[in-house]
Amino acid sequence: MGVRKRQSAELRKEAQKTQAFAKLLNIPSSPRKMRLVADMVRGQEVFRALGILKFSNKEAAARVEKLLRSAIANWEAKNERKAENGELYISTIFVDPAPMLKRLRPAPQGRGYRIRKRANHVTLFVDTIDNNAKTKA
């Protein structure tokens, strides 16, 4: 690995030690469906987002709710205190495509239609609301 690449990787690792985040890998649903749920909660205060996810009728919402609870627990572990109401918000959430499973489905006249079983990865970062004000000022 080159020197520049190694230095940037070390900087990224140091930055992640201070940030609270959670990742969910290889979820067997399409990224498009998961992005609909991610867009509902992006930038929301965490307890409000939990309410939105709890009462959403999308299947992906239950997975994102569990991921958000994990990110909150990670923040509490790093800061050694409980999260209070109105203190945390979802600073970043993004959905990336995971490797696709390719299957064949029988079709008429001896043909086979390709079925693409999509999957996704979700990454969610939480941050304190007052931390956001410091960085913009």
Side-chain angles (χ1 to χ4, degrees):
M1 188 183 320
V3 175
R4 231 179 32 209
K5 199 170 187 181
R6 186 180 305 114
Q7 287 173 345
S8 67
E10 287 171 3
L11 286 173
R12 195 169 44 251
K13 285 179 187 175
E14 285 299 318
Q16 284 191 345
K17 286 181 184 175
T18 59
Q19 292 178 328
F21 68 98
K23 285 184 179 181
L24 198 55
L25 302 176
N26 294 320
I27 306 163
S29 72
S30 73
R32 184 175 181 176
K33 291 177 184 175
M34 188 61 78
R35 282 189 191 108
L36 289 171
V37 175
D39 291 341
M40 285 194 303
V41 295
R42 184 174 286 121
Q44 298 281 339
E45 192 267 326
V46 292
F47 294 110
R48 181 169 184 208
L50 283 172
I52 291 169
L53 293 169
K54 183 157 184 70
F55 294 106
S56 173
N57 59 0
K58 297 199 172 289
E59 188 234 340
R63 296 175 190 269
V64 175
E65 180 184 359
K66 190 172 182 180
L67 180 69
L68 179 56
R69 288 187 191 279
S70 176
I72 294 168
N74 291 343
W75 183 89
E76 289 173 347
K78 285 186 178 181
N79 293 311
E80 298 174 351
R81 63 189 179 94
K82 291 295 238 179
E84 296 173 11
N85 201 3
E87 182 179 15
L88 292 177
Y89 78 107
I90 299 173
S91 60
T92 311
I93 181 170
F94 54 90
V95 180
D96 295 324
M100 218 180 304
L101 294 174
K102 292 176 179 160
R103 301 289 180 256
L104 285 176
R105 179 178 197 138
Q109 298 181 358
R111 289 199 270 287
Y113 291 157
R114 179 168 281 179
I115 303 263
R116 294 175 304 190
K117 296 187 175 228
R118 298 175 191 272
N120 62 65
H121 305 311
V122 183
T123 308
L124 189 145
F125 287 86
V126 294
D127 202 2
T128 55
I129 289 175
D130 61 304
N131 217 8
N132 185 32
K134 286 179 193 173
T135 57
K136 287 188 177 178

